Every structure is written in structure tokens, then in C-alpha cells.
Amino acid sequence: SYIHSRVRHTGIYTIQLFSPLNQGTGTHNRLADDLIKLFQNKELYPNILTYASTVRRIGDEGNGWYQSNVLIPFTADQLGSD
């Protein structure tokens, strides 16, 4: 007989957004918000779940770009047999 085991992995998907400085942040911020709606609290695959996501607005990253990071926490269950 087989005994199934589960190993839970946790992590954070990070999506980095960049847009040219001095072009406004409206479209950039809308895209970040749309990514949150697309990915948070979803079952991406039968064993991958995402949770409440956030946007970390970095601002000027030093090379002429405005940066934001979309952070999406997740768990992934790996099923195996012992």
C-alpha cells in the first residue's frame, strides 16, 4: 500500500514593471492594479494557490525608469508517495 505525502512550498512571484520617467504613472499604476486582479486569490494549477497581492512602488530606479513590483504570495503542494 502507498502512503501519499505532501510537501508545501511557499514563495512570492514578483512581476517587475518599468515605464519611462516623466511620462506619468497613470497607465503604469493601472497595469499594476490589473495584474493584482488577474493573479491574487486564484488557483493557477490544481496544486498552486495565490493569495492577497500587493504593489511596491519603487519609483525612480536610477536609470530613467519608474519601477513597481507586483508581489504575489503563493503555495505549491508537491504530492508524492512514500
Side-chain angles (χ1 to χ4, degrees), residues 21-74:
L21 284 175
N22 305 319
Q23 290 193 359
T25 58
T27 301
H28 182 101
N29 291 338
R30 278 191 297 279
L31 178 57
D33 292 341
D34 287 346
L35 287 167
I36 293 263
K37 291 175 192 171
L38 181 64
F39 286 107
Q40 79 174 355
N41 299 318
K42 302 287 179 165
E43 184 175 5
L44 298 181
Y45 200 70
N47 61 336
I48 300 174
L49 301 174
T50 64
Y51 302 96
S53 304
T54 58
V55 176
R56 180 168 294 146
R57 302 197 195 285
I58 307 299
D60 183 353
E61 50 70 74
N63 293 304
W65 296 93
Y66 182 85
Q67 178 182 354
S68 293
N69 296 336
V70 179
L71 306 172
I72 307 158
F74 73 91

